[in-house]
Amino acid sequence: MAAIETLYLCEKPSQARDIARVLGATERTPHYLNGNDVVVTWCFGHLLEMAAPDQYDAAYKKWSMATLPIVPDRWQHTVRSGARDQYNAIARLLGRTRRVVVATDADREGETIGREILDRCNYRGEIARLWLSALDEASIRTALGRIRDGRETVSLYHAGLGRARADWLVGMNLTRAYTVAARNAGHDQLLSVGRVQTPTLRLVVERDRAIEQFGPQPYWRLRVTFATDAGDVLPAQWRPPADVADDQGRCINENAARRMAQRVAGGTGTVEQVETKHERKSPPLPYDLGTLQQDANRTAGLSAQQVLDAAQSLYETHKATTYPRTDCRYLPTSQHADAPAILRAVAVSDDAGRRYVAGADPARQSKAWNDSRITAHHAIIPTATTAAVNDMGVAEQTLYAMIRDRYIAQFHPDHEADKTTIAIEAAGGAFRATGRQVIVEGWRAIEASGSTDTNDVRLPVVRRGDTVAVANTDIEAKETEPPARYTEGTLIGAMKNAASLVTDDRLKHIMRDTAGLGTEATRAGIVETLQKRGFLVQTKKHLTASDAGRALIDALPDGVSNPETTALWEQALDDVSNGDLSLDDFIARQTRWVEAALAQVQNQGLNLPRVSTGTKNARSCPECGRPMRKRKSQHGPFWGCSGYPDCTATIQVGRGSRHKTGGRTGRRNETH
């Protein structure tokens, strides 16, 4: 067959069609598009997956402490079920190709999806990289004119391999170790341990317990309404002295509050100080995925996964917004020149866009344009393609409006206001009134990007030395409140900002502010997995840990569940991405850590509280030791191994007999 000069390897069919259209590769076959001297083919996400332990050695089929740790000498991948035909087609194409352009999503995972196929097929030709931030035609043409040398992005592949191998080492070894330890202690529970999943679960468990252990403390708020000579109202609040106040300045002595109210009633006060400060607030930065998930969950009730799916659709299907799986909220200065075209596009997309663009100045450059803050991708913004808003679903319309308005806000003036503080002395007590007068509405006029500031109270004009009369007093009994339960949005935020949760001074010094649990692309999936496995429960908008989730965290040593540990690992993966740490060194660190964790459980066993699993008389598989699940058949109920089809042991309910139901037909999906 004829040689292929250039092969474009895309992440999914829709992406391949968009790129092929621009390249002129319009001849379609079942596995690729060709024409104009190029071929464009595609994956379906990962075509390959990490091999299961028993594919390295049949001895690993049975879960046993004696076989741990499992650390492959040479890592293996297998072709994912249902992907064999496409993989074989790509392998044949690579055999004829002189140059491959990796055109998968421009991030760590995308790099891995493409490169792992090249490695497995032993491709040795030239490798280049197409780096796309949007899939509209103009963006694709721009990226095609700036194709990178593949050596510039190979470190992203190494980081992707590091992430996958670390997840495998932790998930396979520790899940087996703790499940076996639980079985030895008389418990028939699958203890699923994950590098990111388990520390995330711990965040919720600790928050739930902080709420349960919280003891509300009473305090009293004294408000006094003063009146000026002109009859204007001046609301103020008492500032109690330190001996009757807590560390947040709240009065904790009811008698003190009532005595002060009696003393000032019917009297007067003197204005001691009037201070006005002019405030300027820049527009909020454009969205990255994490902040988009948080805001959409808070304002529209969308789950993290719904936001990710809708944002991906806006990017892939509608071509309305740029690449969504970004952790950056800034824009490159070179892209400021695109502003007029983008604003024109959003102005004709819908009425709100037209209304907000009318007050925008394309020449304005907010602090969002900052080359020094750009990571692998810039913030999520609209493209210069007119969006077909009416063709979008509700979630897509919601996110498009949020992304659009946040971008338009960058071209509106700063919000300006005068904040006034008035100090008043009355009956020996100190009172303070605060107010705020808007001078320039600016970007806050854009509703979807609006501020949460609700203190826009205009105070009357008074001067130092003025006398004001007490018109009314009011004492309100209040109680301190526990920390709020997590929602999907706030949990995503906590995962993203794990560095802020660190209490150890040594770790604070080591960790960068960007260290978090998981990545923008994986956090939604982690939260969803915890819910599917029954460790987290969603009630209305809140997430709480189940009994099984609490028991798991209680059973694990601190080092396994501590978010600080995983955040440091993510930081190390960033170092691999940047070329500052080798893949081999990263895996060596992970291996040593796993070995130490295994030694701990092997030496100390497991203290696991018994919890309800929802399965009466749960039992372990007599063949491999994994938990069994109660199932139904035409012959009646039976216990079947949860490792089916790798293990086909069954026990007839009520008979206690054991038998096999066939040979190995597939492999267990051990993803942690």
Side-chain angles (χ1 to χ4, degrees):
M1 297 180 70
I4 299 171
E5 185 61 34
T6 301
L7 174 70
Y8 286 80
L9 179 59
C10 300
E11 186 159 329
K12 57 195 69 175
S14 61
Q15 186 185 55
R17 289 192 295 270
D18 293 333
I19 294 171
R21 190 179 305 113
V22 176
L23 290 169
T26 56
E27 182 182 339
R28 184 174 180 84
T29 76
H31 303 292
Y32 59 88
L33 294 145
N34 65 12
N36 206 19
D37 297 326
V38 298
V39 173
V40 182
T41 189
W42 54 84
C43 306
F44 302 107
H46 284 279
L47 295 186
L48 305 178
E49 57 190 2
M50 305 286 288
D54 54 46
Q55 291 174 296
Y56 290 95
D57 190 327
Y60 295 142
K61 185 173 182 180
K62 182 171 182 176
W63 288 26
S64 167
M65 286 288 191
T67 61
L68 303 178
I70 306 172
V71 182
D73 292 327
R74 293 188 61 188
W75 292 87
Q76 299 177 22
H77 287 81
T78 60
V79 179
R80 186 164 54 82
S81 176
R84 174 64 64 179
D85 287 348
Q86 187 64 21
Y87 171 79
N88 289 340
I90 294 173
R92 289 192 295 269
L93 292 171
L94 289 173
R96 301 160 45 203
T97 297
R98 295 191 177 98
R99 175 177 180 253
V100 169
V101 178
V102 177
T104 49
D105 280 353
D107 60 8
R108 187 172 79 188
E109 211 62 25
E111 196 78 22
T112 306
I113 287 170
R115 297 261 190 173
E116 64 188 6
I117 293 176
L118 302 186
D119 272 2
R120 195 169 195 272
C121 293
N122 201 30
Y123 176 75
R124 292 293 177 266
E126 179 186 348
I127 299 175
R129 188 58 160 106
L130 181 66
W131 197 260
L132 281 169
S133 61
L135 289 174
D136 59 291
E137 182 174 337
S139 297
I140 292 174
R141 290 191 182 279
T142 298
L144 288 170
R146 300 173 181 172
I147 289 180
R148 302 182 180 185
D149 188 310
R151 289 171 292 189
E152 294 180 25
T153 59
V154 69
S155 61
L156 283 176
Y157 173 43
H158 295 158
L161 287 178
R163 192 276 307 162
R165 292 174 182 179
D167 286 349
W168 195 98
L169 286 170
V170 173
M172 297 300 177
N173 283 287
L174 298 192
T175 295
R176 287 175 176 232
Y178 287 110
T179 299
V180 170
R183 184 185 68 204
N184 293 340
H187 299 266
D188 291 310
Q189 294 171 241
L190 175 67
L191 298 189
S192 174
V193 180
R195 185 180 64 90
V196 180
Q197 164 197 309
T198 303
T200 301
L201 173 60
R202 175 169 160 173
L203 292 177
V204 181
V205 170
E206 290 184 342
R207 176 62 60 85
D208 288 350
R209 286 180 170 157
I211 294 170
E212 291 161 6
Q213 295 165 9
F214 178 81
Q217 299 299 315
Y219 67 96
W220 289 264
R221 180 180 292 162
L222 170 59
R223 290 192 176 99
V224 174
T225 303
F226 294 95
T228 68
D229 289 342
D232 295 320
V233 173
L234 181 59
Q237 189 166 306
W238 179 46
R239 305 185 71 190
D243 60 339
V244 295
D246 62 12
D247 57 2
Q248 295 189 40
R250 297 174 297 207
C251 177
I252 56 175
N253 186 314
E254 181 180 9
N255 290 333
R258 296 200 178 279
R259 285 195 300 269
M260 177 53 65
Q262 290 172 357
R263 290 210 307 267
V264 300
T268 61
T270 302
V271 176
E272 293 192 324
Q273 185 179 18
V274 179
E275 183 181 49
T276 298
K277 292 183 178 179
H278 187 70
E279 294 182 338
R280 297 178 67 99
K281 289 188 178 181
S282 300
L285 292 170
Y287 282 111
D288 62 7
L289 179 59
T291 52
L292 185 64
Q293 287 170 320
Q294 292 171 64
D295 281 3
N297 180 256
R298 175 177 55 82
T299 61
L302 296 176
S303 72
Q305 190 62 48
Q306 286 175 319
V307 173
L308 178 56
D309 292 344
Q312 196 72 21
S313 177
L314 288 173
Y315 165 66
E316 287 182 3
T317 304
H318 299 285
K319 315 296 187 293
T321 58
T322 57
Y323 183 73
R325 298 169 187 250
T326 175
D327 62 356
C328 178
R329 300 187 66 187
Y330 291 86
L331 300 167
T333 54
S334 61
Q335 203 173 75
H336 189 265
D338 299 335
I342 295 174
L343 291 173
R344 283 195 298 271
V346 298
V348 299
S349 295
D350 62 4
D351 291 339
R354 180 166 53 254
R355 185 167 64 253
Y356 297 149
V357 168
D361 177 6
R364 182 179 293 274
Q365 188 164 321
S366 73
K367 64 181 181 181
W369 277 270
N370 187 336
D371 290 338
S372 68
R373 303 297 296 270
I374 301 299
T375 56
H377 292 280
H378 58 67
I380 309 170
I381 62 172
T383 66
T385 298
T386 301
V389 175
N390 291 335
D391 293 339
M392 298 177 184
V394 174
E396 293 164 343
Q397 289 181 357
T398 298
L399 295 191
Y400 178 71
M402 294 172 67
I403 294 166
R404 173 203 66 202
D405 294 350
R406 191 59 66 88
Y407 181 76
I408 297 174
Q410 308 308 313
F411 305 97
H412 280 251
D414 289 349
H415 176 74
E416 298 183 46
D418 285 339
K419 184 176 181 180
T420 300
T421 302
I422 300 174
I424 302 169
E425 185 278 329
F431 296 83
R432 183 173 64 183
T434 58
R436 193 170 179 277
Q437 182 178 356
V438 174
I439 305 302
V440 177
E441 189 69 16
W443 59 266
R444 257 189 30 164
I446 302 176
E447 183 177 357
S449 295
S451 168
T452 57
D453 194 342
T454 58
N455 193 31
D456 291 349
V457 177
R458 184 173 181 176
L459 297 179
V461 176
V462 294
R463 294 177 176 81
R464 182 177 180 180
D466 283 358
T467 299
V468 288
V470 176
N472 185 50
T473 62
D474 177 66
I475 294 178
E476 183 180 9
K478 299 183 72 67
E479 286 186 338
T480 55
E481 295 183 354
R485 291 199 183 277
Y486 278 117
T487 64
E488 282 204 24
T490 57
L491 182 57
I492 291 287
M495 294 171 72
K496 179 182 175 69
N497 299 302
S500 65
L501 305 174
V502 175
T503 56
D504 185 282
D505 289 338
R506 183 184 62 85
L507 284 178
K508 275 185 178 291
H509 180 71
I510 294 172
M511 289 176 69
R512 294 188 288 268
D513 291 340
T514 54
L517 300 179
T519 66
E520 301 293 333
T522 61
R523 290 179 187 123
I526 292 294
V527 175
E528 188 173 50
T529 295
L530 285 168
Q531 294 182 69
K532 286 181 177 178
R533 291 180 175 172
F535 293 139
L536 290 184
V537 178
Q538 180 145 5
T539 305
K540 295 183 179 179
K541 292 184 177 182
H542 298 118
L543 290 172
T544 57
S546 66
D547 289 344
R550 291 185 179 213
L552 176 60
I553 294 302
D554 289 342
L556 299 178
D558 180 77
V560 174
S561 63
N562 196 327
E564 296 171 356
T565 303
T566 302
L568 284 172
W569 290 348
E570 293 292 348
Q571 185 169 297
L573 284 171
D574 285 344
D575 290 338
V576 177
S577 295
N578 298 329
D580 298 327
L581 179 69
S582 72
L583 172 61
D584 288 343
D585 286 345
F586 175 77
I587 295 301
R589 292 183 188 180
Q590 297 295 300
T591 301
R592 289 193 296 270
W593 186 91
V594 167
E595 289 171 345
L598 289 174
Q600 186 172 0
V601 69
Q602 288 166 341
N603 294 333
Q604 299 177 8
L606 196 64
N607 180 23
L608 182 70
R610 188 174 293 277
V611 300
S612 172
T613 62
T615 304
K616 187 177 181 181
N617 301 321
R619 60 183 68 196
S620 296
C621 175
E623 293 293 326
C624 69
R626 281 171 285 192
M628 302 195 83
R629 300 285 182 261
K630 196 172 184 180
R631 308 181 190 278
K632 293 181 180 180
S633 74
Q634 60 182 351
H635 303 295
F638 68 95
W639 294 96
C641 181
S642 61
Y644 178 85
D646 283 338
C647 179
T648 55
T650 62
I651 300 174
Q652 194 76 23
V653 172
R655 295 184 185 178
S657 61
R658 174 168 50 111
H659 61 279
K660 296 271 187 173
T661 59
R664 187 180 188 278
T665 59
R667 78 167 184 81
R668 179 174 61 262
N669 181 23
E670 286 184 278
T671 54
H672 305 288

